[in-house]
Amino acid sequence: MRLKLAAGNWKMNGTTAALSELEALARAFPNPTVDVLICPPATLLHQAAESVRETGITVGGQDCHAATSGAHTGDISADMLLDAGANAVILGHSERREDHGEQNEDVRAKARAAMDAGLKAIICVGESLEQREAANTLDIIGGQMSGSIPDQSTGENLIVAYEPIWAIGTGKVPTLNEIGEVHDFIRTRLERRFGEGVGRSVRLLYGGSVKPSNAEDIFGVSNVDGALVGGASLKAQDFSGIIDALQKA
Ligand code: PEP
């Protein structure tokens, strides 16, 4: 059985005042029946981890460097995230791929570092609108998976997030059939590469304009084990609606 996961990506949003949203979330879900993860900006990670200590909520990073330490000004290692209280890290988000030119090999190296440090790697894959319209979605996803997912992956240390780039922050969402097609494809690829046991145990998240109003339908799609949520994770009330829907799914 895969434990469902609601993961929030705060991106570059939030100062210490935003921690009140996290505290409100912890009050609303003292004993969540699904995993709940919030990935705040790195500046808030330690405080965020402290504020949810001994609750059912955990925190994660939004990126890490592939090296364990060294001359990499401005970067953060997986060990540092762990030390700050993280148990997971988002890697290969399309905004990192676009803003920082991250390639599949970079994502794979970061994922290796994260797994070596004991973090769960949430590896993001997803097509652009142009790629979807050219009917290249599955080829793109397959290539990103082969290039970004390390060989050492297991159901414990790997989570894959399918995030169509054109659905992120736009209010546009693929049809349920389109989501199902990609999630089934990802599952099959994982089973083929890692064997049925591991392939079936990796959690697959959908991300892209998930809101309380569409969450129930999305969580009803086969092989959707939860969501990676951007905008709607910033407010406890919105994210609570999504967690509620996942708990009922
Ligand atoms: C994201 O950035 O991972 C994301 C899914 O954003 P949003 O929910 O705002 O579309």
Side-chain angles (χ1 to χ4, degrees), residues 129-209:
L129 189 56
E130 214 175 30
Q131 291 163 337
R132 175 160 283 278
E133 285 173 350
N136 283 335
T137 298
L138 299 184
D139 280 350
I140 294 295
I141 305 291
Q144 289 173 334
M145 289 180 68
S146 316
S148 306
I149 297 177
D151 290 337
Q152 73 207 75
S153 299
T154 66
E156 190 47 42
N157 66 16
L158 174 69
I159 295 157
V160 178
Y162 167 51
E163 298 210 310
I165 300 169
W166 52 275
I168 295 177
T170 59
K172 293 184 192 143
V173 181
T175 64
L176 300 180
N177 279 345
E178 287 168 339
I179 294 174
E181 181 191 29
V182 176
H183 278 243
D184 288 350
F185 172 79
I186 294 174
R187 177 73 64 214
T188 303
R189 292 285 293 230
L190 288 171
E191 286 177 5
R192 222 182 281 155
R193 177 164 166 198
F194 295 105
E196 272 192 12
V198 170
R200 280 189 192 162
S201 62
V202 174
R203 290 179 284 181
L204 309 185
L205 308 182
Y206 167 75
S209 296

Side-chain angles (χ1 to χ4, degrees), residues 214-235:
N214 61 18
E216 186 184 339
D217 286 345
I218 293 171
F219 295 150
V221 175
S222 85
N223 280 314
V224 172
D225 303 311
L228 179 56
V229 183
S233 70
L234 294 171
K235 293 282 168 225

Side-chain angles (χ1 to χ4, degrees), residues 83-169:
D83 185 53
N87 77 344
V89 59
I90 299 168
L91 294 170
H93 191 283
S94 60
E95 288 154 13
R96 300 281 323 167
R97 292 179 188 259
E98 198 170 310
D99 294 356
H100 300 271
E102 286 187 11
Q103 304 296 314
N104 290 330
E105 310 77 72
D106 303 314
V107 178
R108 189 186 187 108
K110 288 173 180 219
R112 262 197 234 114
M115 291 170 178
D116 288 347
L119 295 174
K120 295 177 198 308
I122 303 175
I123 298 183
C124 302
V125 295
E127 81 288 1
S128 66
L129 189 56
E130 214 175 30
Q131 291 163 337
R132 175 160 283 278
E133 285 173 350
N136 283 335
T137 298
L138 299 184
D139 280 350
I140 294 295
I141 305 291
Q144 289 173 334
M145 289 180 68
S146 316
S148 306
I149 297 177
D151 290 337
Q152 73 207 75
S153 299
T154 66
E156 190 47 42
N157 66 16
L158 174 69
I159 295 157
V160 178
Y162 167 51
E163 298 210 310
I165 300 169
W166 52 275
I168 295 177

Side-chain angles (χ1 to χ4, degrees), residues 24-25 28-29 212 232 235-247:
L25 200 64
F29 295 96
K235 293 282 168 225
Q237 199 182 350
D238 294 337
F239 202 43
S240 293
I242 293 169
I243 297 169
D244 272 334
L246 192 58
Q247 290 194 138

